[in-house]
Amino acid sequence: MHCLIVLISDMTGYVPRTIVRQREQTALYYMCRKLGEGEGSRGNEITELWMEYEANSSLEAKFVKDLDKVEMLLQVLDSKGDEQWEDLDEFLRSTAGKFQTEIGKAWATEIVSKRKNT
């Protein structure tokens, strides 16, 4: 499992999307090979679910993508200090209009309101 932490982690700063995708694909291949390959295997099931997520092709995929953004908002909100609030403002601007589900939009709105009340 420690190999996956090296392959994928929350990356700070700008990391080109091609690098992120390459690391994700390497981690996916590694995990799925450990779980078994071929039709009906857990590795195959996980690969299919990952492709669905990447293609944003289901309500579940959209929800998980929203959760990823919400989790990042919560990390910044939990940080202390004025510099982190500026980061939150920048992140809020970058995610504005990108939440795809009603619950994702509601959670983002609640986080923003908590930020304003703090």
Side-chain angles (χ1 to χ4, degrees), residues 59-114:
L59 180 58
E60 292 84 359
K62 292 174 189 334
F63 178 66
V64 172
K65 285 184 182 277
D66 278 1
L67 286 178
D68 188 42
K69 290 181 199 74
V70 164
E71 189 269 336
M72 287 188 286
L73 286 173
L74 289 171
Q75 280 187 38
V76 177
L77 182 64
D78 193 42
S79 299
K80 304 292 182 212
D82 293 339
E83 291 175 23
Q84 282 76 18
W85 292 125
E86 290 174 22
D87 291 343
L88 181 59
D89 288 338
E90 181 181 328
F91 185 72
L92 287 172
R93 283 190 297 276
S94 75
T95 60
K98 293 187 180 175
F99 287 91
Q100 304 175 78
T101 64
E102 292 307 313
I103 195 158
K105 291 172 189 175
W107 287 348
T109 300
E110 185 174 341
I111 293 167
V112 171
S113 73
K114 289 206 182 292

Side-chain angles (χ1 to χ4, degrees), residues 9-17 19-20 23 72 75-76 87 90-91 94:
S9 67
D10 283 341
M11 297 176 208
T12 58
Y14 174 75
V15 178
R17 184 67 185 140
I19 300 297
V20 173
R23 289 183 182 176
M72 287 188 286
Q75 280 187 38
V76 177
D87 291 343
E90 181 181 328
F91 185 72
S94 75

Side-chain angles (χ1 to χ4, degrees), residues 28 31-32 35 41-51:
L28 179 66
M31 287 187 307
C32 291
L35 293 171
S41 71
R42 287 287 181 206
N44 189 50
E45 179 183 3
I46 289 171
T47 299
E48 288 174 5
L49 289 169
W50 181 257
M51 290 179 353

